[in-house]
Amino acid sequence: MAKNIILLGPPGAGKGTQAKRLEDDRGMVQLSTGDMLREARSSGSEMGRRVAEIMDKGQLVTDEIVIGLIAEKIEAGSEGGFIFDGFPRTLKQADALGALLASKGTTLDAVIEMRVDDAVLVKRITGRYTCGQCGAVYHDETRPTKVAGTCDACGSHDLRRRADDTEEALTTRLMEYYKKTSPLIGYYYAKGDLYPVDALAEMDSVARAIAAVLDGETA
Ligand code: ADP
Ligand code: ZN
């Protein structure tokens, strides 16, 4: 049966990497508000210009904007279920998500809490780059492309670094996470939806831990 899950965790926890795997392995649909906002800004729209400045500083975009983006996607539906990546990030967004899913006659099945060590985040994020064509994620030290400047997955040369993957913006992103997003851990724990996973483990074992939750192998 199709399941809807949230990947919850600080920047650099590996939400995007795991979301991509779930898409490939299970036909789920990744809804990354970060990706949607980056798309909006590259389209050069008025909204895009407003969010670009906020994002580059590492601050959160307004709830109204991201809820609007997510609402459209939920309305379109997904047979394989949704992976919410980087959303919700505030209690208001969490309430809105519950209401949006309910209006489609569906619910949230699990919230995966991706636990990491803050010191590791800085290292992970400051070496990060992605493929602009297929979204594959790489890292200077831990996961470089096989051929420098060429995406392993699709052969594209369009490798990019994010404007907010600097140490300064990352400090703000972490503060935003602890002030506004981490309360969601308690919120979903109280609802009985929370499943902590050790996100410091290597990629395959994180994927296995998430699969175990999805397949109902953990309590
Ligand atoms: P990361 O999880 O690595 O910080 P994302 O790609 O999820 O990266 O988000 C990048 C930026 O986009 C955030 O720092 C924020 O400015 C904006 N953003 C993404 N999702 C949301 C959201 N749900 N609410 C508010 N702002 C968001
Ligand atoms: Zn690629």
Side-chain angles (χ1 to χ4, degrees):
M1 220 203 31
K3 294 200 169 163
N4 300 310
I5 65 166
I6 294 173
L7 299 181
L8 180 63
K15 302 185 294 288
T17 303
Q18 295 298 331
K20 291 258 155 17
R21 284 185 69 141
L22 289 165
E23 283 198 316
D24 292 346
D25 297 350
R26 294 173 182 257
M28 298 174 80
V29 170
Q30 174 193 24
L31 295 185
S32 159
T33 42
D35 286 349
M36 292 176 205
L37 290 167
R38 278 184 286 278
E39 209 170 287
R41 60 185 283 182
S42 67
S43 77
S45 69
E46 175 55 33
M47 191 259 272
R49 273 194 295 276
R50 268 185 290 138
V51 302
E53 203 183 324
I54 301 173
M55 288 177 80
D56 288 350
K57 281 193 253 172
Q59 295 167 354
L60 292 191
V61 170
T62 64
D63 289 332
E64 288 66 29
I65 290 178
V66 290
I67 291 168
L69 289 170
I70 282 283
E72 273 177 42
K73 304 284 184 179
I74 290 179
E75 193 48 48
S78 158
E79 276 190 15
F82 291 116
I83 310 147
F84 296 97
D85 163 11
F87 179 91
R89 262 178 157 91
T90 64
L91 291 166
K92 193 168 170 204
Q93 292 177 22
D95 281 334
L97 175 60
L100 285 166
L101 290 172
S103 77
K104 291 294 280 181
T106 178
T107 57
L108 202 57
D109 295 284
V111 177
I112 313 285
E113 182 200 351
M114 302 187 61
R115 309 187 108 167
V116 286
D117 185 323
D118 284 6
V120 179
L121 297 177
V122 181
K123 240 189 147 185
R124 275 196 185 178
I125 288 191
T126 48
R128 182 163 77 172
Y129 57 101
T130 59
C131 173
Q133 295 308 307
C134 74
V137 184
Y138 300 100
H139 191 281
D140 292 324
E141 282 161 35
T142 55
R143 195 175 181 241
T145 51
K146 291 198 182 74
V147 179
T150 305
C151 175
D152 294 350
C154 76
S156 162
H157 300 297
D158 181 14
L159 299 174
R160 307 174 183 181
R161 281 178 207 272
R162 279 169 44 174
D164 60 347
D165 276 352
T166 61
E167 223 167 313
E168 196 193 353
L170 178 58
T171 305
T172 306
R173 282 156 69 199
L174 277 175
M175 283 308 293
E176 291 282 75
Y177 177 78
Y178 286 111
K179 281 196 284 190
K180 298 172 184 167
T181 308
S182 67
L184 298 183
I185 294 169
Y187 175 97
Y188 286 117
Y189 173 78
K191 284 179 181 284
D193 290 336
L194 196 73
Y195 298 87
V197 158
D198 173 16
L200 281 182
E202 51 114 11
M203 240 161 22
D204 288 342
S205 42
V206 177
R208 276 195 300 275
I210 294 172
V213 173
L214 275 162
D215 297 333
E217 285 162 20
T218 56

